[in-house]
Amino acid sequence: MSPAIRTAVDVADWRRRVFSMYERVRAEADPAAAHARWVAERDELLRSHPATPIPDAERADFAGVPVPGYDPAWRFELPVIAAEEPRRIEVETGTDGRVPFELLGRVEIPGAGSLDLWRLASYGGGLFLPVKDALAGRPGGTYGAGRYLLDTVKGADLGPGRPPETLVVDLNFAYNPSCAYDPAWACPLAQPGNRLEVEVPVGERMRAVSG
């Protein structure tokens, strides 16, 4: 099998496993138990999967991503407030070319601020909700360019809330994009409307790399 075919097959398997992981997360009645499962499975994928973004030289020392314990105060079921004006952006990525997004609206995070909700305006569709908080880029903090909460076309989907027409927005599940680990990846990052002035102390942090 050629390297290009092998890479494509590995990435397809990675995404298949991510979809399966989030399906188990949504099926779990206890959000804290779902979060513990998500942390363990994310670490195992990053540690051992052929499509991991962890560079080869760092995998032997990879002990998992720092993630604080589950805090239910950061879990919400929120309506989407429709955008007043249409907006479209195109983001250059290393693996998927120029990716277009359309603004759907926003969700209001109680006590924290608002986050723009985007729709992938190309094949597959999907919801995209990134976040950049006040800990971004600080030592021991969060990834400087922001993290992802939802990226449903790639499986990161916490599902609908119990109230009609709401989404589960749980910041405990904020995760680092692949470019946080390897600059060979280029990722859509948090736009100005996806930045919070407060610290979000849950979700994946940046790990220290020995060397």
Side-chain angles (χ1 to χ4, degrees), residues 179-205:
C179 51
Y181 302 108
D182 187 342
W185 295 80
C187 309
L189 301 176
Q191 298 295 306
N194 292 90
R195 297 172 185 173
L196 300 177
E197 298 300 320
V198 302
E199 296 182 359
V200 177
V202 293
E204 291 186 347
R205 301 288 190 96

Side-chain angles (χ1 to χ4, degrees), residues 1-204:
M1 186 179 291
S2 73
I5 294 175
R6 179 75 267 166
T7 297
V9 169
D10 289 342
V11 170
D13 184 68
W14 172 280
R15 293 186 179 174
R16 188 180 304 119
R17 295 192 187 202
V18 171
F19 271 92
S20 181
M21 176 178 67
Y22 276 91
E23 183 177 9
R24 290 188 288 274
V25 164
R26 292 190 299 272
E28 176 59 63
D30 178 10
H35 183 254
R37 174 189 289 273
W38 175 81
V39 170
E41 293 194 24
R42 279 272 300 168
D43 277 348
E44 182 57 30
L45 279 172
L46 289 168
R47 178 183 300 111
S48 63
H49 196 277
T52 178
I54 305 296
D56 290 344
E58 298 175 18
R59 292 179 195 175
D61 296 326
F62 180 76
V65 180
V67 182
Y70 189 82
D71 184 348
W74 288 95
R75 182 186 188 277
F76 308 98
E77 298 180 5
L78 303 173
V80 178
I81 302 167
E84 296 180 359
E85 296 182 3
R87 182 150 49 100
R88 182 183 175 99
I89 60 173
E90 291 192 0
V91 180
E92 185 69 44
T93 71
T95 54
D96 298 318
R98 293 186 65 83
V99 178
F101 291 91
E102 293 177 349
L103 181 64
L104 288 180
R106 70 182 191 279
V107 292
E108 294 285 347
I109 310 295
S114 69
L115 295 174
D116 286 344
L117 180 68
W118 299 87
R119 182 182 77 87
L120 179 63
S122 60
Y123 181 78
L127 302 178
F128 181 56
L129 185 64
V131 58
K132 180 177 179 179
D133 72 294
L135 289 172
R138 289 167 50 180
T142 57
Y143 180 49
R147 298 174 291 172
Y148 294 174
L149 293 169
L150 303 175
D151 189 5
T152 64
V153 76
K154 294 183 179 179
D157 181 2
L158 297 175
R162 288 166 295 181
E165 300 184 1
T166 63
L167 294 175
V168 174
V169 178
D170 191 334
L171 283 85
N172 291 276
F173 289 85
Y175 68 95
N176 299 323
S178 296
C179 51
Y181 302 108
D182 187 342
W185 295 80
C187 309
L189 301 176
Q191 298 295 306
N194 292 90
R195 297 172 185 173
L196 300 177
E197 298 300 320
V198 302
E199 296 182 359
V200 177
V202 293
E204 291 186 347

